């Protein structure tokens, strides 16, 4: 299922997670390396600055909510 969502000032199609349960684990890629990501109440500053995206570790769907790197 695709729907438009507003993310960082631009419309973007977002695919819903197809895992059961949803969002079993998150990751992002920095310099070609996978990094663990975690849901947060607010988007981490570095994530917004670098315009990074988090993905479901199971199905690869882009995570549409605030998140940050696990190491921060």
């Amino acid at each position: 299922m695709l729907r438009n969502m507003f993310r960082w000032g631009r419309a973007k199609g977002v695919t819903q997670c197809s895992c059961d349960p949803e969002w079993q684990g998150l990751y992002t890629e920095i310099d070609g390396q996978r990094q663990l990501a975690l849901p947060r109440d607010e988007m981490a500053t570095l994530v917004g600055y670098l315009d990074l995206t988090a993905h479901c570790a199971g199905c690869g769907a882009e995570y549409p909510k605030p998140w940050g790197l696990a190491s921060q």
Side-chain angles (χ1 to χ4, degrees):
M1 177 178 169
L2 242 47
R3 63 184 169 143
N4 288 327
M5 294 186 76
F6 197 69
R7 181 182 168 285
W8 297 105
R10 65 180 185 259
K12 184 171 185 160
V14 176
T15 303
Q16 296 300 302
C17 180
S18 61
C19 297
D20 186 25
E22 290 184 320
W23 310 112
Q24 295 179 36
L26 298 175
Y27 75 91
T28 191
E29 288 194 18
I30 300 175
D31 293 330
Q33 300 291 319
R34 279 192 176 195
Q35 301 291 322
L36 182 62
L38 298 171
R40 299 258 170 111
D41 291 336
E42 296 179 358
M43 191 65 78
T45 304
L46 178 64
V47 169
Y49 180 73
L50 296 176
D51 197 27
L52 298 172
T53 55
H55 298 272
C56 175
C59 68
E62 185 176 332
Y63 188 66
K65 297 177 183 175
W67 63 277
L69 294 171
S71 61
Q72 292 185 332

